[in-house]
Amino acid sequence: MEFDFSTMAPSQCYKLLVSVVVPRPIALVTSLNEAGVVNAAPFSFFNLMGDDPPILILSIERKPGGAAKDTAHNIALQREFVVNLVDEATAERMHACSRDFPSDESEAAAVASPPCLQRRWPRHASLSRPWRWSASCTKPSTSARSGS
């Protein structure tokens, strides 16, 4: 079977991709805005790309209408973020962070938040135990060639 993505609506492409690439880990990404508000948002398009240096990729789409999502804005601003791996025990709390919060309201109130040792904002925890895996990340400087 062949699919021509150029003829498909973005929502159709998304549904096809998420149904084909499974299992797919889900990341709950925490970041900090300029006012010090913690943003927490789930992303199913992330992965590891290397180990020396360790590289983690995260695909952040835009909001309807084209505006940058808070996570993308915050990472561009602070150049730092934390990636928390979601498992079955933490999925419900992660889902609480997926609704559209205003930029000045923290999703961190939806989940318990122990401190992250290397960042100014928290990693996240379930009710009784830390997330199974968290990575403290830094957005690398980009070259003029990459254009981003």
Side-chain angles (χ1 to χ4, degrees):
M1 182 173 259
E2 290 186 24
F3 296 95
D4 183 354
F5 285 97
S6 68
T7 65
M8 298 169 65
S11 62
Q12 292 174 310
C13 294
Y14 174 83
K15 287 178 184 177
L16 178 62
L17 290 172
V18 298
S19 68
V20 172
V21 181
V22 291
R24 202 174 53 264
I26 299 175
L28 182 68
V29 177
T30 54
S31 59
L32 189 71
N33 75 11
E34 58 271 17
V37 176
V38 175
N39 172 264
F43 292 93
S44 64
F45 287 152
F46 93 103
N47 214 324
L48 300 173
M49 293 298 291
D51 64 346
D52 189 17
I55 298 173
L56 185 142
I57 60 166
L58 177 65
S59 177
I60 305 172
E61 297 182 11
R62 294 190 169 271
K63 293 180 181 181
K69 288 189 174 183
D70 293 340
T71 302
H73 170 81
N74 296 346
I75 291 172
L77 177 74
Q78 302 289 352
R79 306 190 67 76
E80 299 175 333
F81 56 102
V82 176
V83 174
N84 306 277
L85 190 60
V86 175
D87 60 13
E88 190 174 343
T90 54
E92 186 176 325
R93 298 181 74 75
M94 173 275 308
H95 186 69
C97 294
S98 68
R99 70 179 176 88
D100 191 17
F101 284 74
S103 296
D104 61 350
E105 185 180 330
S106 176
E107 295 86 351
V111 294
S113 303
C116 177
L117 299 178
Q118 297 173 327
R119 297 289 174 249
R120 294 172 287 153
W121 56 89
R123 58 188 170 87
H124 286 283
S126 68
L127 291 170
S128 61
R129 63 171 177 74
W131 291 69
R132 293 183 185 224
W133 186 85
S134 294
S136 177
C137 304
T138 302
K139 181 179 185 283
S141 298
T142 55
S143 67
R145 182 177 173 194
S146 72
S148 59

